Amino acid sequence: MKRSKKKNSSEKKIRKLQNLEPTKQELREQRRRQRKANKRKRIMKGLVTMLIILGIIGAIGFGVYQAVNLGIFNVTEIEVVGNEIVDAQTVVEASGINVGESIFLIDVNQANYNINALMNLDELEISKIMPNKILIRMVESVPICAVNYDNKVYYLSEDKTLIEDGEYLRKTDIPLIFGSDEVTITEIGKEVVVEPYWRFDTIMNILRDLKKDSNLEKISEVRMTEVNTYEIVTKNGTVFILWDYNNYIDNKAYIQNNLDKNTSNMIINLAVGTKPVIKPR
């Protein structure tokens, strides 16, 4: 065996000296040694890469651990955007998120559920902004009116469901309703019963027409009077007095004309005959 190896080695030297091409066996041997060398390089490269990654992860982990201990990731600001009816503090309290709480421990899904349970919203998104801020973006349901009753303001949608309530009027581009005998509230998102209901239904029909004609924001108040008439007060201070919804429909073109002309500080009684009775306010 030893003689065979020596013989092969001698043959290789002779062939090399004679500048002859290597045999097939020699080529296979060279490729085998090259594959082993390449494999060792890959293993070493992989080990070095793994050690570097582990070192980076360890450094990041240690940094985060130190930052958490120092309170860098404790919430210092909760910003609310998109709210017009409900105030920001009410939204924050409803969310259950507290300033000083670790941002990693905040359950965004739970906060989302908490807010939606108390408010009637079209959209709600809660985001964590590193390292210490919470952003609450919301789109409130659009109210058609606000009912003033017992020192509170109730914001209602077109189908009379409760959107929100408050101590004072926060949204000024919708009419404020006066003259209710009683307002029955159950919960957010449920229908509000306003008495006398048949008179309030008349108001809602008028408001829907005003909204359809893009006139809602021109109206300041709608009143149910003690003499069973309705008073529509514009933001220019003009008052239209109506008998019922049919009376409104019969005079709709006339009312529209006055709204277009921005008639101001007049009392226009449409409930006394075939012609309006007009006088300065």
Side-chain angles (χ1 to χ4, degrees):
M1 187 71 177
K2 287 182 180 180
R3 287 179 182 177
S4 178
K5 287 183 178 179
K6 286 180 180 179
K7 182 180 179 182
N8 290 337
S9 178
S10 299
E11 288 177 355
K12 288 178 185 177
K13 288 178 181 179
I14 292 170
R15 295 179 71 83
K16 187 174 182 181
L17 290 171
Q18 293 176 347
N19 198 26
L20 299 174
E21 293 294 327
T23 65
K24 291 183 179 180
Q25 183 177 353
E26 290 171 345
L27 288 172
R28 284 196 295 270
E29 182 65 21
Q30 287 175 6
R31 286 195 291 269
R32 186 181 66 81
R33 286 197 299 270
Q34 187 62 44
R35 285 196 297 271
K36 283 186 176 181
N38 290 340
K39 185 176 181 182
R40 284 194 296 269
K41 287 180 181 179
R42 287 196 300 271
I43 291 172
M44 290 303 297
K45 187 177 179 179
L47 288 173
V48 171
T49 302
M50 186 178 297
L51 288 173
I52 292 172
I53 292 172
L54 289 174
I56 293 172
I57 292 173
I60 293 172
F62 180 74
V64 170
Y65 174 77
Q66 290 292 90
V68 169
N69 286 340
L70 292 172
I72 293 174
F73 293 103
N74 289 353
V75 175
T76 59
E77 180 184 1
I78 305 173
E79 183 182 2
V80 180
V81 296
N83 58 310
E84 294 183 23
I85 300 173
V86 62
D87 61 274
Q89 187 57 37
T90 299
V91 177
V92 173
E93 290 175 358
S95 72
I97 301 172
N98 300 306
V99 170
E101 186 177 0
S102 171
I103 199 168
F104 298 115
L105 299 179
I106 290 172
D107 188 339
V108 170
N109 292 330
Q110 183 62 50
N112 194 301
Y113 175 83
N114 292 343
I115 294 173
N116 275 309
L118 295 176
M119 301 171 196
N120 196 349
L121 304 175
D122 287 341
E123 295 179 25
L124 176 63
E125 180 184 4
I126 304 175
S127 306
K128 296 179 181 181
I129 301 177
M130 294 298 181
N132 53 17
K133 180 178 177 180
I134 298 296
L135 178 62
I136 302 175
R137 297 180 182 272
M138 56 193 294
V139 177
E140 297 170 326
S141 297
V142 180
I144 195 171
C145 68
V147 177
N148 183 71
Y149 178 75
D150 197 24
N151 296 320
K152 289 200 78 172
V153 177
Y154 301 95
Y155 299 90
L156 274 58
S157 64
E158 283 191 50
D159 58 0
K160 297 189 285 187
T161 59
L162 180 63
I163 296 174
E164 185 55 61
D165 58 40
E167 301 297 328
Y168 55 91
L169 184 67
R170 292 179 56 86
K171 191 172 176 62
T172 58
D173 58 349
I174 56 172
L176 189 56
I177 312 301
F178 292 93
S180 308
D181 291 342
E182 186 178 358
V183 176
T184 304
I185 305 294
T186 52
E187 58 182 287
I188 298 291
K190 300 296 183 182
E191 183 176 343
V192 175
V193 178
V194 180
E195 298 290 354
Y197 73 89
W198 59 272
R199 299 200 68 198
F200 187 66
D201 283 348
T202 296
I203 287 179
M204 292 300 290
N205 287 331
I206 292 173
L207 292 180
R208 291 187 191 103
D209 268 24
L210 289 167
K211 181 181 179 181
K212 184 174 64 176
D213 297 333
S214 301
N215 291 321
L216 198 63
E217 62 183 19
K218 299 177 182 179
I219 308 302
S220 173
E221 301 173 10
V222 179
R223 305 167 183 161
M224 293 182 278
T225 71
E226 294 180 355
V227 292
N228 289 333
T229 59
Y230 302 89
E231 294 179 352
I232 300 175
V233 184
T234 71
K235 289 185 176 177
N236 288 329
T238 290
V239 181
F240 296 99
I241 300 175
L242 299 165
W243 185 250
D244 57 17
Y245 179 64
N246 289 331
N247 189 205
Y248 166 80
I249 293 298
D250 291 341
N251 292 279
K252 186 175 179 179
Y254 178 82
I255 294 171
Q256 184 66 59
N257 184 50
N258 279 273
L259 291 174
D260 291 341
K261 292 193 302 183
N262 293 318
T263 302
S264 60
N265 297 314
M266 303 296 290
I267 297 176
I268 303 176
N269 194 336
L270 302 169
V272 291
T274 57
K275 293 185 178 181
V277 176
I278 306 171
K279 63 179 181 178
R281 189 173 175 185

